[in-house]
Amino acid sequence: MISEVRVLHVDDEPVICDLTKLLLEKDGKIKVDAVTSAHVALDLIKSGSYSCIISDYEMPQMNGLDFLKAVRDIDKDIPFILFSGRGRETVIIDAINSGADFYIQKGGETKALFVELNHKVNYAIQQRNTRNALKRRDGILEAVSLVSNLFLGGEAFDRALQEAITLFGLATEVDAVRLFRLKTEEVQGTCLSYFSYEASWTRASVQNPVTEEYLRKHKFFEVDEIIERLTRGETLIYDSSQIQKMSINWTEYTAKAIAIFPVFVNQQVWGLFSFADYLGDRNWTGVEIDALQAAAAMIGSAIQQDRMKKSLLSAKEEYASMYALMRRLCDTVPDVLWAKDNEGSFIFVNKAGSDFLDARDTTEPV
């Protein structure tokens, strides 16, 4: 989920901490926070966001195993590597049983040792990200199922749409979800395309300057490139540096990552479905993207069904209006006008024929 790999290393020997920081940060992919106290480390874990924890075993006040157990009380899933000179078999077994991902024994050639440590850090993080991605994928697909029931359950469309967006926001664990509709407008003789805000969900803990009121008041032009890519069915993924270069301003340039999915209605781009992170970067995985494409397709189907429903209601109203006009016209003539169904029951009788035929006066359209 987090693109920057932040590692917390706990060792009561400052030299080891400095060496770990120097060698793991060498390729620029990992940032290491090094501390010499497990108690200080616990405070950092509670307040910070780390991708992996490396810990020594023999430390004063709290050893590596006790530290591991305390970490697991805070976060049961964060990768934990015990990196120690203590190599007793019982220590290794206790570490694995307590939830350590790997045990690496200090000693030997320094370069090879830290190459192994680097590999284990990246592998442990990759495994955790994969587990989290699969968990979010399952959550998204479950939300798709719930959303389909919402739209089929007879609930008002706008309310069902808002509940659907909320479900997808919770399932993906993003900070904001927004739905925009693609529209056109003539400006100074030129037909321009723009995105118009439809609905959104924002995590309560996120202080986002882009309010719903702001989105409702603005039209977002200069989107030809985005429209062209969405028309091809592409998923658009932007990081913070790319967002700052975007000409459309629905993010106030404060988002760290955005994923945009096209919404199709009748095989035409109706609009877009966006997922934004403001507190941290994100690496979207293929399984999550596939699930969100299904979510966008679900939204498109629901919009299409709502259109059809409104069209049928409009047609029914138009038919009722035409029938009422026909009825008034038929009631003005002195002739008997009537119709029966195949069972011989009257389905239409005008005013003149109601008494003459002793038939019920049919007033509802048939």
Side-chain angles (χ1 to χ4, degrees):
M1 177 176 171
I2 301 170
S3 60
E4 180 186 48
V5 178
R6 292 186 62 205
V7 173
L8 178 62
H9 185 200
V10 189
D11 198 304
D12 60 324
E13 297 185 39
V15 174
I16 298 296
C17 290
D18 293 341
L19 190 59
T20 302
K21 185 174 179 66
L22 176 66
L23 295 177
L24 291 187
E25 290 185 345
K26 189 175 182 180
D27 60 2
K29 296 179 181 179
I30 296 176
K31 184 180 184 305
V32 179
D33 292 338
V35 296
T36 57
S37 166
H39 292 291
V40 173
L42 289 173
D43 290 336
L44 289 174
I45 294 169
K46 293 175 183 177
S47 61
S49 179
Y50 289 99
S51 307
C52 184
I53 296 173
I54 304 169
S55 175
D56 188 22
Y57 173 75
E58 289 187 336
M59 296 184 293
Q61 299 180 334
M62 181 183 291
N63 65 32
L65 286 179
D66 291 335
F67 174 58
L68 169 58
K69 293 173 184 176
V71 168
R72 286 291 172 251
D73 288 337
I74 300 171
D75 188 335
K76 297 185 181 300
D77 197 42
I78 188 170
F80 191 103
I81 299 173
L82 200 61
F83 184 50
S84 175
R86 185 87 174 258
R88 289 204 322 263
E89 184 176 342
T90 54
V91 173
I92 299 173
I93 294 173
D94 286 345
I96 299 300
N97 289 338
S98 298
D101 293 86
F102 296 106
Y103 180 96
I104 300 175
Q105 187 171 350
K106 296 175 184 176
E109 202 271 316
T110 302
K111 183 178 180 180
L113 179 66
F114 279 91
V115 166
E116 181 185 3
L117 179 61
N118 195 350
H119 171 72
K120 288 292 194 295
V121 166
N122 285 296
Y123 182 77
I125 293 171
Q126 182 181 6
Q127 290 295 98
R128 184 198 193 191
N129 288 344
T130 299
R131 290 194 301 269
N132 289 342
L134 291 173
K135 179 182 175 182
R136 286 192 293 271
R137 186 275 311 270
D138 292 342
I140 295 166
L141 293 179
E142 183 178 355
V144 169
S145 177
L146 292 172
V147 167
S148 65
N149 292 330
L150 278 175
F151 288 117
L152 294 174
E155 191 171 3
F157 177 77
D158 290 343
R159 183 174 178 180
L161 182 62
Q162 184 59 58
E163 291 182 19
I165 289 175
T166 300
L167 285 172
F168 288 130
L170 295 173
T172 53
E173 302 176 356
V174 298
D175 296 324
V177 181
R178 298 194 179 104
L179 182 67
F180 291 88
R181 183 173 181 176
L182 178 62
K183 296 182 178 180
T184 57
E185 182 177 296
E186 187 172 322
V187 179
Q188 296 180 350
T190 303
C191 191
L192 298 178
S193 298
Y194 67 95
F195 285 113
S196 174
Y197 168 80
E198 290 287 319
S200 69
W201 169 86
T202 303
R203 190 176 299 280
S205 59
V206 175
Q207 298 297 322
N208 182 9
V210 185
T211 63
E212 185 173 349
E213 182 181 3
Y214 171 88
L215 293 171
R216 289 190 183 280
K217 287 182 177 179
H218 287 74
K219 300 174 181 179
F220 304 99
F221 291 92
E222 301 181 35
V223 292
D224 290 344
E225 180 184 350
I226 290 179
I227 295 171
E228 182 180 347
R229 295 180 64 186
L230 291 177
T231 302
R232 295 197 296 265
E234 291 186 33
T235 298
L236 312 182
I237 307 293
Y238 297 97
D239 59 25
S240 55
S241 62
Q242 294 168 319
I243 292 169
Q244 292 175 4
K245 299 176 183 178
M246 294 170 70
S247 56
I248 53 178
N249 192 19
W250 67 62
T251 65
E252 283 285 323
Y253 308 123
T254 58
K256 299 292 182 65
I258 296 179
I260 297 175
F261 298 83
V263 176
F264 287 92
V265 176
N266 290 329
Q267 299 181 335
Q268 299 291 325
V269 175
W270 175 91
L272 63 84
F273 205 19
S274 73
F275 297 80
D277 286 286
Y278 291 89
L279 302 181
D281 291 342
R282 177 185 293 249
N283 290 325
W284 290 96
T285 64
V287 293
E288 292 175 283
I289 290 173
D290 290 344
L292 285 174
Q293 287 173 341
M298 168 61 68
I299 295 295
S301 296
I303 293 170
Q304 183 172 347
Q305 289 175 3
D306 185 61
R307 278 186 174 181
M308 292 174 62
K309 182 179 178 181
K310 289 178 179 177
S311 177
L312 288 173
L313 288 174
S314 177
K316 183 178 179 180
E317 291 173 358
E318 184 179 356
Y319 173 72
S321 176
M322 292 175 62
Y323 182 88
L325 175 61
M326 181 196 75
R327 180 67 194 233
R328 289 196 299 271
L329 290 173
C330 289
D331 283 344
T332 61
V333 300
D335 301 306
V336 175
L337 302 177
W338 56 271
K340 288 184 177 182
D341 61 16
N342 291 333
E343 303 297 326
S345 299
F346 285 100
I347 58 175
F348 175 80
V349 180
N350 71 341
K351 187 175 181 180
S354 180
D355 295 332
F356 184 80
L357 297 174
D358 193 24
R360 179 175 57 87
D361 182 12
T362 57
T363 57
E364 294 298 324
V366 178

